Amino acid sequence: MATSLQFIKSASGTDVASLSITGFTSQYDVYAIYIPKLIQNGNNDIRGRFIDNSGSVISDSEYDYATEVMNSHSSFSEGRATSQTSIDSLGVNDQNETYGVGSTTYIFNPADSSSYTFLISQNAGMRDIAKLRSYKLIGVHKVAETITGFNIFGESGGNITATMVLYGVK
């Protein structure tokens, strides 16, 4: 994979239900979204959805994903699901909200209306105090359409505080 990141823009939100970033165009085939720290009001997974070219967050059952969960305190595990309304396991946040989640997500071919949009992600956060949990994740949006952005939110509706930084990858 290419390694030159070209800054496009950032988006921040404090105590919001969800956070979106747009800016995917045909200029790049691959985009990177870096989240240095995400805090959620609750002890739940972070989920994501793509945004279509009309600006709507896609919440239909069009996502598949698979994860490798790497716990510091117990055995590793796997998770997977098909025909979901979002992509799960973009991170987990401790309920004391101190540590937060850090993640990097790569999104492939979002502007190509003739192919599915794929992503890979790596993240780390705390599950309960002093129990590190990290994820490796692959996901796909199984409808061929133009994707212009990405939206994140807390699994159980807890508000989030985060900054998303969008890069084009050369």
Side-chain angles (χ1 to χ4, degrees), residues 27-91:
Q27 183 175 359
Y28 300 98
D29 293 330
V30 180
Y31 286 85
I33 298 175
Y34 172 59
I35 301 173
K37 185 175 183 181
L38 181 147
I39 301 290
Q40 181 194 9
N41 301 334
N43 190 9
N44 296 297
D45 286 345
I46 307 303
R47 294 180 177 246
R49 295 178 172 143
F50 288 113
I51 299 170
D52 66 20
N53 63 354
S54 68
S56 298
V57 175
I58 302 167
S59 59
D60 296 327
S61 299
E62 301 173 349
Y63 301 97
D64 293 356
Y65 62 86
T67 61
E68 177 74 19
V69 183
M70 297 165 284
N71 295 303
S72 67
H73 57 284
S74 64
S75 300
F76 287 14
S77 62
E78 297 176 352
R80 61 183 151 267
T82 59
S83 301
Q84 299 298 298
T85 60
S86 63
I87 295 172
D88 194 9
S89 303
L90 290 166

Side-chain angles (χ1 to χ4, degrees), residues 1-2 4-6 8 23-33 50 105-120 145 147 166-170:
M1 180 186 310
S4 178
L5 299 178
Q6 308 296 310
I8 297 172
F24 302 159
T25 67
S26 59
Q27 183 175 359
Y28 300 98
D29 293 330
V30 180
Y31 286 85
I33 298 175
F50 288 113
T105 302
Y106 289 93
I107 298 170
F108 300 88
N109 300 315
D112 185 350
S113 63
S114 65
S115 70
Y116 294 173
T117 300
F118 294 84
L119 67 74
I120 58 173
E145 64 181 305
I147 300 299
L166 178 63
Y167 298 93
V169 180
K170 282 191 170 185

Side-chain angles (χ1 to χ4, degrees), residues 152-170:
I152 58 172
F153 62 98
E155 176 182 16
S156 297
N159 284 357
I160 60 175
T161 297
T163 297
M164 300 170 75
V165 185
L166 178 63
Y167 298 93
V169 180
K170 282 191 170 185

Side-chain angles (χ1 to χ4, degrees), residues 85-143:
T85 60
S86 63
I87 295 172
D88 194 9
S89 303
L90 290 166
V92 65
N93 189 64
D94 182 84
Q95 58 187 316
N96 78 9
E97 302 168 16
T98 302
Y99 305 106
V101 175
S103 73
T104 301
T105 302
Y106 289 93
I107 298 170
F108 300 88
N109 300 315
D112 185 350
S113 63
S114 65
S115 70
Y116 294 173
T117 300
F118 294 84
L119 67 74
I120 58 173
S121 183
Q122 297 182 84
N123 60 73
M126 299 301 284
R127 172 64 83 188
D128 302 321
I129 297 172
K131 295 180 179 176
L132 178 66
R133 176 176 281 180
S134 60
Y135 294 89
K136 287 191 177 217
L137 164 73
I138 58 172
V140 60
H141 173 246
K142 298 185 309 179
V143 174

